[in-house]
Amino acid sequence: MPKIQFAVEMGMGTDLKGQDYTKAAARAVHDALHRNFLTIGAAFDLPLEAMLVDIRVGVSKPDAVDLDVVKAEAPVGNVTAEAVHGGLEVEMMGHKALIANAIVTVSYDVEISQ
């Protein structure tokens, strides 16, 4: 069956003093996911366990992100995550503030009847 995308959510997260890229990335995913309540699965009688959740976070040091922590922000589904170069570092009063951006897509493997 083809993978059909049902939703795209965007979020932003920061770590203002700790310089923790994982924390900023996880906060960005949390921001993307926790403003909405997706009912698309229930509307089509699709189980939550079959939901495909793909996470992409942009940070200035992608290798510094613990993807298992980022994936744990998704409450259900088969979750994948990747960190890519993006986000922002801002020098503030002697330390760096980190800003991460996240895109989370929700899909299901379903057939579309014509």
Side-chain angles (χ1 to χ4, degrees):
M1 287 186 270
K3 183 177 176 180
I4 306 296
Q5 193 174 82
F6 284 85
V8 177
E9 301 297 334
M10 294 168 273
M12 184 202 68
T14 62
D15 187 19
L16 298 178
K17 293 187 179 179
Q19 298 183 23
D20 186 330
Y21 295 89
T22 298
K23 184 183 286 186
R27 288 175 174 173
V29 173
H30 184 90
D31 182 53
L33 293 176
H34 289 85
R35 285 191 242 175
N36 302 294
F37 181 70
L38 294 179
T39 59
I40 194 75
F44 290 99
D45 200 28
L46 300 169
L48 288 175
E49 301 80 37
M51 185 182 294
L52 305 173
V53 180
D54 297 310
I55 299 170
R56 179 179 282 182
V57 291
V59 295
S60 56
K61 293 185 181 174
D63 293 338
V65 175
D66 182 341
L67 293 177
D68 289 330
V69 172
V70 171
K71 287 167 57 172
E73 288 295 324
V76 296
N78 180 3
V79 183
T80 64
E82 70 173 319
V84 299
H85 186 73
L88 185 64
E89 290 186 11
V90 179
E91 188 71 31
M92 291 178 49
M93 298 173 15
H95 65 275
K96 289 181 187 173
L98 307 179
I99 302 169
N101 299 101
I103 296 288
V104 181
T105 61
V106 175
S107 307
Y108 280 97
D109 283 329
V110 294
E111 285 291 329
I112 297 177
S113 58
Q114 303 273 351

